[in-house]
Amino acid sequence: MVSSEDTKAQVKPVSKPRGRPRSFDRETALEKALLAFWQHGYEATSVSDLTRVMDIGAPSLYAAFGDKRSLFEEVVREYDAKYGSFGDRALAEEPTARAAVERTLREAAVEYTDPAHPYGCLVVHAAINCTSAEVEESLRERRNATVAAFERRIRADVAAGLLPPGTDAAALARHTGAMIQGMSQQARDGASQGELEALAEIAMAIWPRTGTHTGRLIGGC
């Protein structure tokens, strides 16, 4: 016969997990923060707004993501990887600068008007009315890096004879950046995918053609 003391001795205490487990899914919370910043911009999205849409308390937000600026920096990286990488893919996969730019503008028309998320581009819109010099500079650097990537590709095509030798690579790349940023704002103002695709077609009409002697930005020349 087993005594009660023997039974107690055989029962091992259940060890408790160390630390306090998170009560929320980090990736889901990050996506909610991304959509909030995308919709309202950096300045207009407060910490209280973030805790509300992410459905977490301020202590949990700070513990998981740091302060608002740190969270925003992670949001931008997530946006680039999930929504804003179509330009990089076009540059990597298309055989010419012209084809890469055309694909980028057409995919921007689709992405910027997708009703599944806020319209336009987060990297463009989040900087509006921003009083944080560090955030504003970070977003500016990203936009300028996009222009620089197109300029490098255009210069490579000029060197390879795929574009006329007189092509103004810097101006053509800057024009591409202006189109991308302008299409973002047009989408937020209500432009449809078809309307933005029409803009993309007009934008490509100014591209210089091989076999011409100039790279001036005039229709078909």
Side-chain angles (χ1 to χ4, degrees):
M1 182 174 181
V2 180
S3 67
S4 60
E5 286 76 16
D6 292 335
T7 302
K8 290 179 181 179
Q10 293 174 7
V11 176
K12 296 181 180 180
V14 178
S15 60
K16 295 182 179 180
R18 294 182 179 180
R20 184 178 179 180
R22 283 200 182 113
S23 59
F24 67 94
D25 181 82
R26 193 180 190 281
E27 292 304 312
T28 299
L30 180 62
E31 178 71 9
K32 290 178 178 179
L34 187 157
L35 296 175
F37 280 124
W38 194 349
Q39 179 64 44
H40 303 291
Y42 178 82
E43 194 68 29
T45 305
S46 66
V47 171
S48 60
D49 292 331
L50 291 167
T51 56
R52 176 176 52 80
V53 300
M54 297 167 76
D55 195 26
I56 60 176
S60 294
L61 186 152
Y62 292 127
F65 300 102
D67 59 13
K68 175 183 171 180
R69 181 182 166 191
S70 297
L71 170 59
F72 181 71
E73 289 173 352
E74 185 170 349
V75 157
V76 172
R77 291 193 296 271
E78 180 74 5
Y79 173 84
D80 281 345
K82 190 172 183 179
Y83 301 101
S85 61
F86 54 86
D88 291 338
R89 289 196 304 269
L91 283 169
E93 297 171 4
E94 294 300 324
T96 66
R98 179 188 176 88
V101 169
E102 183 171 12
R103 173 176 162 180
T104 296
L105 296 182
R106 292 193 180 281
E107 292 193 13
V110 175
E111 187 66 47
Y112 291 170
T113 58
D114 187 344
H117 53 63
Y119 295 139
C121 172
L122 181 147
V123 176
V124 174
H125 179 67
I128 295 176
N129 297 325
C130 182
T131 60
S132 169
E134 294 83 3
V135 170
E136 187 176 18
E137 176 62 22
S138 175
L139 294 174
R140 184 186 302 113
E141 287 177 355
R142 287 180 177 272
R143 295 191 298 271
N144 286 337
T146 297
V147 173
F150 282 114
E151 182 177 348
R152 287 193 298 271
R153 185 61 181 279
I154 293 166
R155 290 190 185 281
D157 278 13
V158 173
L162 299 174
L163 286 170
T167 298
D168 189 336
L172 199 53
R174 186 67 62 184
H175 173 264
T176 300
M179 286 303 305
I180 293 170
Q181 294 173 32
M183 289 171 70
S184 172
Q185 186 57 53
Q186 287 287 306
R188 292 190 71 88
D189 288 345
S192 67
Q193 177 182 331
E195 289 171 328
L196 294 186
E197 287 173 340
L199 290 180
E201 185 174 347
I202 294 171
M204 297 312 301
I206 71 163
W207 267 65
R209 303 280 185 174
T210 54
T212 62
H213 297 292
T214 177
R216 291 178 298 166
L217 301 185
I218 55 178
C221 295

